[in-house]
Amino acid sequence: MSVIPDDTHLQIGSLLFEGLDQIDLTGPFEVLSRLPNSTYKIYARTAEPVRDLKGLRLVPDATLADAPQLDVLHIPGGFGQEALMDNDEVLGWIRQQAAGALSVFSVCTGALLCGAAGLLMGRRATTHWASFHLLPFFGAIPVNERVVVDGNWVFAAGVTAGIDGALRLAAELRGSEAAQLIQLGIAYAPEPPFNSGSPETAPAPILEQARQAVQDITARRERTARRIAAGLGIDV
Amino acid sequence: MSVIPDDTHLQIGSLLFEGLDQIDLTGPFEVLSRLPNSTYKIYARTAEPVRDLKGLRLVPDATLADAPQLDVLHIPGGFGQEALMDNDEVLGWIRQQAAGALSVFSVCTGALLCGAAGLLMGRRATTHWASFHLLPFFGAIPVNERVVVDGNWVFAAGVTAGIDGALRLAAELRGSEAAQLIQLGIAYAPEPPFNSGSPETAPAPILEQARQAVQDITARRERTARRIAAGLGIDV
């Protein structure tokens, strides 16, 4: 990826779907909507408001069918991703947009959607820690980092990693000064009150509870991933 | 503030208004919507979708008039706060809700709204760095920290500080284990790619640009703050 000339307008767009994890979208929106000379719009299957997995309602700007070719395609994740793993309309849209985009930006289990679209073959990628072991089923090379850049793709790990990934992407697109200006505007100098944000640092009983909380959805995701792997001819 | 018994249901609510900075709301929502035994709803003046300052549309769950007494009252900020500084309906709602709430949680320039409602007299508080100097006009004691806890009030500084503040509040309400479990679920182990998130750490030319970008809104906010100070009998 190289910095895009300042006078080139950027069309940025997010996929919005029922049951997404809203900050997978709103974190990147907060950063990338501040890029100079750009338009950021939200696209969904219909024009109706969409509920995130905790009930927050977001309104799309247009339907998938009405989206122009995007320069930056952003795919968020969340439990609702699982219901779209066989959805030809959504997967076809991701495939078509990704083919023409300057950058593709996957956050959290948005990576699984990109995988189901067949776009992760041989790609270095990351996703939420609870789904990290599923990446090889899509032909991806798992990289346990918070943000992974592979060619014109940027992958952010779980949920709030989308903010870090978006700042990285902002720098790739418009240079590091533009990204730093955004970071200062949104006062992103994080001070988590605990050190419990990753499996490597969380206390063991907390990690065990967190794993149990996502046990069912993780099992469903694994069954889907195995089925997709078979379809892609991947032997994991 | 003390940890609330697990079997006490918590009604959590955010004020939603035109021109807010969306992550002032969506950051805290991401954290507090995961608190056990709680309900989180979004309240606005009307039931219509509301645009954030960059155009993201959020849908309220109910109107201000239909809100029950909240246990946790959350007030976000953003440029749109300025248009509400004389709004009796909104300020009256904040005043009334704050009087009965277990906790009040202000993010960013939400603190100025609380100040206009007359609620910051003698209180240790913080807000976005660009408005920090305005706190004394509302009778507040400015504390230059990312999260400030004063009695049953929690103040988060600018924008993304709402995530840190919400985790702190989660711990105050339900204990540190509950907060750590949420932190792990949302993978909040931030790695900003630059060190430009506060005036103290940003490169000088970036800070200068950022100040210029908010010069007009800051001047308007100061005129309003001076007028409110006069009304409150505060001599700054």
Side-chain angles (χ1 to χ4, degrees):
Chain A
M1 217 178 312
S2 58
V3 173
I4 310 299
D6 288 348
D7 60 358
T8 301
H9 188 82
L10 292 173
Q11 284 282 352
I12 308 170
S14 292
L15 171 68
L16 174 64
F17 57 86
E18 200 73 22
L20 89 160
D21 195 331
Q22 58 89 15
I23 213 167
D24 289 13
L25 188 152
T26 57
F29 182 90
E30 187 70 17
V31 172
L32 299 176
S33 67
R34 284 162 170 78
L35 275 183
N37 195 15
S38 64
T39 304
Y40 196 139
K41 291 200 181 296
I42 311 293
Y43 300 97
R45 292 164 71 193
T46 74
E48 295 303 303
V50 165
R51 268 187 199 277
D52 111 304
L53 55 84
K54 289 293 180 182
L56 189 74
R57 281 186 295 170
L58 298 165
V59 187
D61 296 304
T63 63
L64 301 186
D66 287 338
Q69 172 62 53
L70 299 170
D71 301 306
V72 179
L73 170 66
H74 165 241
I75 308 293
F79 297 159
Q81 140 279 330
E82 182 60 16
L84 299 177
M85 295 292 276
D86 293 296
N87 187 298
D88 288 334
E89 182 193 3
V90 171
L91 300 182
W93 187 80
I94 293 174
R95 222 176 272 124
Q96 187 189 340
Q97 286 288 349
L102 288 169
S103 310
V104 185
F105 178 28
S106 158
V107 176
C108 197
T109 52
L112 306 186
L113 281 176
C114 297
L119 298 173
L120 296 195
M121 303 287 286
R123 218 177 274 289
R124 301 170 68 247
T126 193
T127 186
H128 192 280
W129 57 261
S131 290
F132 188 74
H133 62 294
L134 303 180
L135 288 170
F137 290 106
F138 304 100
I141 303 155
V143 179
N144 189 14
E145 289 171 12
R146 191 153 172 88
V147 177
V148 175
V149 179
D150 181 344
N152 68 329
W153 282 66
V154 176
F155 294 88
V159 199
T160 53
I163 303 172
D164 297 316
L167 281 167
R168 184 82 175 267
L169 177 56
E172 299 267 357
L173 292 167
R174 292 291 195 209
S176 68
E177 288 197 7
Q180 289 176 81
L181 186 61
I182 294 170
Q183 187 185 353
L184 181 55
I186 66 171
Y188 187 53
E191 292 181 16
F194 306 100
N195 193 18
S196 185
S198 76
E200 290 81 6
T201 62
I206 299 284
L207 178 57
E208 181 53 30
Q209 268 190 77
R211 282 201 196 283
Q212 277 174 18
V214 294
Q215 199 171 3
D216 290 352
I217 177 78
T218 303
R220 284 202 300 281
R221 282 171 166 156
E222 181 166 337
R223 282 194 295 275
T224 303
R226 287 184 180 279
R227 184 166 46 72
I228 289 171
L232 293 169
I234 292 167
D235 187 21
V236 183
Chain B
M1 217 179 310
S2 60
V3 173
I4 311 299
D6 287 348
D7 60 359
T8 301
H9 187 83
L10 292 173
Q11 285 282 353
I12 308 170
S14 292
L15 171 68
L16 174 64
F17 56 86
E18 200 73 21
L20 89 160
D21 195 331
Q22 59 89 14
I23 213 167
D24 288 13
L25 188 151
T26 57
F29 182 89
E30 188 70 16
V31 173
L32 299 176
S33 67
R34 284 160 170 79
L35 275 183
N37 195 14
S38 64
T39 303
Y40 196 138
K41 291 200 180 297
I42 312 293
Y43 300 96
R45 292 163 71 194
T46 75
E48 295 303 302
V50 165
R51 269 186 198 276
D52 111 303
L53 54 85
K54 289 293 179 182
L56 189 75
R57 281 187 294 168
L58 297 165
V59 187
D61 295 305
T63 63
L64 301 185
D66 287 338
Q69 172 61 55
L70 299 171
D71 301 306
V72 180
L73 170 66
H74 165 241
I75 309 292
F79 298 160
Q81 139 279 331
E82 182 59 18
L84 299 177
M85 295 291 277
D86 294 296
N87 187 297
D88 289 336
E89 181 192 3
V90 171
L91 299 182
W93 186 81
I94 293 174
R95 223 176 272 124
Q96 188 188 340
Q97 287 287 350
L102 288 170
S103 310
V104 185
F105 177 29
S106 158
V107 176
C108 197
T109 53
L112 307 186
L113 280 176
C114 297
L119 299 173
L120 298 195
M121 303 288 286
R123 218 177 274 291
R124 301 169 70 247
T126 193
T127 185
H128 192 279
W129 57 262
S131 291
F132 188 75
H133 62 294
L134 303 180
L135 288 170
F137 290 106
F138 304 99
I141 303 155
V143 179
N144 190 13
E145 287 171 13
R146 191 155 172 88
V147 177
V148 174
V149 180
D150 181 346
N152 67 330
W153 282 65
V154 176
F155 294 88
V159 197
T160 53
I163 303 171
D164 298 315
L167 281 167
R168 183 82 173 267
L169 178 56
E172 299 268 358
L173 292 166
R174 292 291 194 208
S176 69
E177 288 197 7
Q180 289 176 82
L181 187 60
I182 293 170
Q183 186 184 354
L184 181 55
I186 67 170
Y188 188 51
E191 292 181 15
F194 306 100
N195 192 19
S196 184
S198 76
E200 290 81 7
T201 62
I206 299 284
L207 178 57
E208 182 51 30
Q209 269 189 76
R211 283 202 195 283
Q212 277 174 19
V214 294
Q215 200 171 5
D216 290 353
I217 177 79
T218 303
R220 283 202 301 282
R221 281 170 167 157
E222 181 167 337
R223 282 193 296 275
T224 304
R226 286 183 181 279
R227 183 167 46 73
I228 289 170
L232 293 170
I234 292 168
D235 188 19
V236 183

